């Protein structure tokens, strides 16, 4: 797997615990990232296309059209609270929906990356 679920967030952007990026048991007050994403890594895709079980789950022309993009990840930063969690990313008003992000990019003349 090219990327994990997330990691701690702190003074050192990728703070890690003694047991890895995220410990077995999270505690109140921990701030972690939740970062699902999709990555188009040619070596891994080549292996997947060669594996009949994995290849059956892929639409090869569609995947190949996106390979040059590299991938995308829009993460959330989450504080663990006594009541569950508080999504710091959403509280900050960060854009999450594709239409909103594309509108922002167009308004600010941001070119595709």
């Amino acid at each position: 797997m090219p990327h994990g679920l997330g990691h701690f967030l702190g003074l050192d952007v990728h703070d890690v615990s003694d047991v890895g990026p995220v410990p077995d048991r999270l505690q109140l007050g921990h701030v972690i990232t939740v970062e699902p994403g999709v990555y188009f890594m040619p070596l891994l895709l080549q292996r997947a296309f060669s594996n009949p079980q994995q290849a059956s789950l892929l639409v090869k022309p569609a995947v190949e059209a996106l390979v040059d993009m590299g991938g995308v990840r829009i993460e959330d930063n989450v504080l663990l609270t006594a009541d569950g969690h508080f999504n710091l990313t959403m509280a900050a008003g960060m854009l999450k929906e594709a239409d909103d992000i594309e509108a922002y990019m167009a308004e600010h003349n941001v070119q595709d990356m």
Side-chain angles (χ1 to χ4, degrees):
M1 181 187 301
H3 199 280
L5 171 64
H7 52 78
F8 276 110
L9 193 68
L11 293 176
D12 180 1
V13 175
H14 284 84
D15 287 345
V16 296
S17 72
D18 294 339
V19 295
V22 178
D24 291 336
R25 191 173 290 247
L26 297 172
Q27 299 175 14
L28 294 180
H30 279 168
V31 178
I32 60 169
T33 64
V34 179
E35 41 191 50
V38 60
Y39 302 90
F40 301 103
M41 302 175 78
L43 178 62
L44 296 179
L45 288 170
Q46 186 177 40
R47 290 179 189 163
F49 289 137
S50 298
N51 177 314
Q53 187 176 12
Q54 292 176 351
S56 69
L57 302 171
L58 302 171
V59 179
K60 191 172 183 176
V63 172
E64 288 175 337
L66 297 171
V67 167
D68 289 341
M69 180 180 61
V72 64
R73 176 181 81 221
I74 302 174
E75 71 183 51
D76 285 312
N77 299 314
V78 178
L79 168 66
L80 302 178
T81 68
D83 297 328
H85 70 280
F86 180 72
N87 188 320
L88 298 165
T89 304
M90 297 303 288
M94 300 302 295
L95 303 176
K96 301 290 285 183
E97 300 297 324
D99 289 342
D100 295 334
I101 294 168
E102 289 174 2
Y104 177 90
M105 291 176 68
E107 180 180 332
H108 293 86
N109 199 28
V110 177
Q111 301 300 311
D112 291 341
M113 296 179 192

